[in-house]
Amino acid sequence: MVHTSIQSVQAALADGSTTTVAIVRNYLDAIAEQAHLNIYVEVYAEEAIREAIRQDEARTQGAKMGKLAGVVLSIKDVICYAGHGVSAGSRILEEFVSPYTATALQRLLDEGVIVIGRTNCDEFAMGSGNENSFYGPTRNAADVTRVPGGSSGGAAVSVQAATCLIAMGSSTGGSVRQPASFCGIYGFKPTYGRISRHGVIAYGSSFDQIGYLANNADDIALALEISAGADAYDATAPNKIVATYSKQAVETGPQSIAYFADLMESESLAPEIRNAMQATLERFRAAGHRLVPVTFSFFDYVVPAYYVLTTAEASSNLSRFDGMRYGHRSSEATDLVETYTKSRTEGFGTEVQRRILLGTFVLSSGYYDAYYGKAQKVRRLIRDQLQGILDAHDFILMPVSPSLPWPIGEQTDDPVANYLADIYTVLANLAGLPAIAVPLKAEGGLPVGYQLMADHWEEGKLLSFVRGL
Ligand code: GLN
């Protein structure tokens, strides 16, 4: 039997109807059977089984088990795990082995989580279709000719294809919600700072957050409460109280839900998504919630501001990959400057090079004020206007993506088309807000979802609402 929630796994382990070894073996079989999906960069078969045996023995001896005992996790290839490779989907880090473990992952490990492998992703998390990976694209299990979304594409399919129970991903501009939605599962990013970024390979540090992809919001709530909270290694993770989100009462009372009415009419929205959004609005209305149309003046500036700011941060973050300290070093170089240029030219893919160039340009003297400085101001305006909406309402309801999963290869030559498709997800990252993608039952077609956003630090309220749906 394939378990689709932490609760059902743990109930089955507690009543002896399964063992941890059986669970892990099932997942390993599923990975082998679905190798064509290209979900994993590396599978930790032996050590996962070893840990499962250890947990089964401990359980038999009556030991107190961790809150995540028997829970099998995949980690995106940007999460550091001591003694294991981590490459950010890039040739430049192909051989790199992490000397330490990300704080959030360590907290899950301390509660007994079993890591089954690291998942494919867009190179340095830059992309929306998982097509920018050095390891080739991951395929959507709902239709193998289509993308699973990105950049946490492997993470989304790892859950969709039942090769693990829950996946740890990262979001800079939508990389958890968008692939989750493309694959028909839940995807959640917390408030900026809620989870430590220590041990996540940096892309845009003022945007990056760890997030979870799972079959339900209860599993996300539990993973969040265990991994969130202050960390001495990340000054942006403040000492805010972390609630036991998974045990909070579900929220069933009427909520005030804002939505962008103009957006529902937008021509760029795929008809299936527009219909799904309309149906969701109606359903919420029928359930007694107050649905309030609101306006947002900055939609035209959201994607440009995001790409100016994140490429600027990326150009700085990725300067450490210079062929000298770690990662790929060109064997063709004969002096220092050549070592830098050839190592980076060989090591980085096209999209990453494009973004480093863009980011270097917007930060260069003479252009800084016109681009980077201006984008920072736009970010503030976006944040303030969203804050105004969330001061008056409980949640904002939006699509996750304007498009359905596209055929693999269709958009690879058109970076701008890819960037524009990020319009609905980058908002939460620009403003640092928590947001969740909720799947809708697809009627035969491709998966569709919707998105709910809440105020800063209100992930308890957001998850309680979604858990109660
Ligand atoms: N698609 C967006 C980008 O390419 C978001 C990626 C992310 O969240 N890591 O930047």
Side-chain angles (χ1 to χ4, degrees):
M1 173 184 170
V2 180
H3 295 277
T4 54
S5 73
I6 294 177
Q7 206 199 355
S8 97
V9 166
Q10 294 190 330
L13 286 168
D15 72 18
S17 54
T18 191
T19 63
T20 320
V21 170
I23 290 169
V24 170
R25 281 200 201 285
N26 263 340
Y27 285 134
L28 291 172
D29 288 348
I31 293 173
E33 281 158 21
Q34 300 174 98
H36 60 285
L37 298 177
N38 199 20
I39 305 171
Y40 289 87
V41 171
E42 194 180 351
V43 179
Y44 308 138
E46 262 178 47
E47 59 177 280
I49 292 199
R50 219 180 306 128
E51 174 60 14
I53 293 172
R54 194 195 66 74
Q55 289 191 13
D56 282 337
E57 283 173 1
R59 192 180 294 277
T60 320
Q61 285 156 14
K64 183 172 176 337
M65 304 305 288
K67 289 185 196 144
L68 295 175
V71 174
V72 174
L73 172 88
S74 72
I75 55 174
K76 183 178 179 179
D77 188 26
V78 296
I79 309 283
C80 294
Y81 184 15
H84 296 76
V86 57
S87 74
S90 181
R91 180 179 182 205
I92 210 154
L93 284 175
E94 195 184 359
E95 308 287 337
F96 183 69
V97 173
S98 178
Y100 65 95
T101 299
T103 300
L105 176 58
Q106 188 58 54
R107 290 179 183 173
L108 301 186
L109 288 165
D110 291 345
E111 290 293 341
V113 95
I114 299 170
V115 184
I116 198 139
R118 58 182 162 125
T119 53
N120 201 354
C121 59
D122 284 298
E123 187 177 2
F124 285 95
M126 296 176 187
S128 318
N130 213 118
E131 295 174 280
N132 302 332
S133 166
F134 173 58
Y135 306 99
T138 296
R139 293 175 182 278
N140 192 322
D143 176 347
V144 296
T145 66
R146 291 179 188 263
V147 298
S151 63
S152 314
V157 184
S158 74
V159 175
Q160 177 196 29
T163 68
C164 64
L165 193 56
I166 181 162
M168 182 183 270
S170 69
S171 169
T172 305
S175 280
V176 167
R177 285 158 288 153
Q178 187 258 21
S181 191
F182 275 21
C183 294
I185 59 170
Y186 290 77
F188 170 78
K189 86 157 275 289
T191 308
Y192 180 78
R194 180 58 98 182
I195 299 183
S196 166
R197 285 179 294 110
H198 176 66
V200 183
I201 294 181
Y203 161 13
S205 306
S206 75
F207 294 76
D208 298 343
Q209 267 298 285
I210 281 178
Y212 293 104
L213 303 94
N215 296 302
N216 57 71
D218 293 283
D219 290 2
I220 289 172
L222 183 61
L224 177 67
E225 77 195 37
I226 293 169
S227 53
D231 176 19
Y233 290 113
D234 179 0
T236 63
N239 200 1
K240 288 252 178 200
I241 288 173
V242 176
T244 32
Y245 305 114
S246 64
K247 298 225 162 46
Q248 286 182 338
V250 295
E251 178 61 73
T252 50
Q255 305 292 314
S256 180
I257 303 176
Y259 69 98
F260 304 115
D262 309 352
L263 208 121
M264 296 291 197
E265 309 307 322
S266 161
E267 295 218 331
S268 62
L269 208 54
E272 293 88 341
I273 298 173
R274 183 173 315 119
N275 294 342
M277 291 306 300
Q278 288 296 1
T280 306
L281 270 171
E282 296 306 322
R283 201 159 51 83
F284 280 147
R285 222 174 252 136
H289 303 298
R290 205 159 68 90
L291 275 294
V292 186
V294 294
T295 47
F296 180 70
S297 355
F298 302 117
F299 270 119
D300 287 349
Y301 307 103
V302 164
V303 169
Y306 170 81
Y307 277 95
V308 168
L309 294 170
T310 52
T311 55
E313 293 188 21
S315 75
S316 162
N317 273 328
L318 271 57
S319 64
R320 71 190 72 167
F321 304 107
D322 58 4
M324 298 304 292
R325 282 170 286 191
Y326 37 65
H328 173 76
R329 180 179 301 170
S330 174
S331 52
E332 308 285 306
T334 53
D335 63 23
L336 182 65
V337 173
E338 266 198 2
T339 303
Y340 292 155
T341 50
K342 291 209 157 115
S343 302
R344 287 167 70 83
T345 305
E346 292 166 12
F348 290 133
T350 315
E351 182 59 25
V352 173
Q353 293 191 22
R354 175 167 25 240
R355 295 198 192 193
I356 292 172
L357 287 171
L358 250 172
T360 307
F361 173 73
V362 300
L363 287 174
S364 59
S365 90
Y367 293 100
Y368 184 98
D369 289 339
Y371 294 104
Y372 185 72
K374 195 169 268 174
Q376 277 186 312
K377 290 180 187 150
V378 173
R379 185 179 196 181
R380 163 58 60 163
L381 292 172
I382 290 171
R383 189 185 158 118
D384 288 350
Q385 204 172 91
L386 288 175
Q387 187 62 57
I389 297 171
L390 288 165
D391 285 345
H393 305 282
D394 296 300
F395 306 116
I396 299 175
L397 170 67
M398 290 207 302
V400 179
S401 163
S403 38
L404 294 168
W406 54 86
I408 291 172
E410 193 177 72
Q411 285 187 19
T412 30
D413 294 334
D414 191 351
V416 175
N418 275 319
Y419 298 171
L420 288 171
D422 292 337
I423 181 154
Y424 305 132
T425 49
V426 296
L427 266 188
N429 298 75
L430 279 160
L433 296 165
I436 188 165
V438 179
L440 289 167
K441 296 260 171 303
E443 283 141 26
L446 293 164
V448 185
Y450 63 88
Q451 176 178 200
L452 285 167
M453 227 188 301
D455 204 351
H456 295 102
W457 314 107
E458 295 276 26
E459 30 278 283
K461 181 166 139 185
L462 181 60
L463 290 168
S464 299
F465 179 67
V466 175
R467 284 168 52 231
L469 289 174

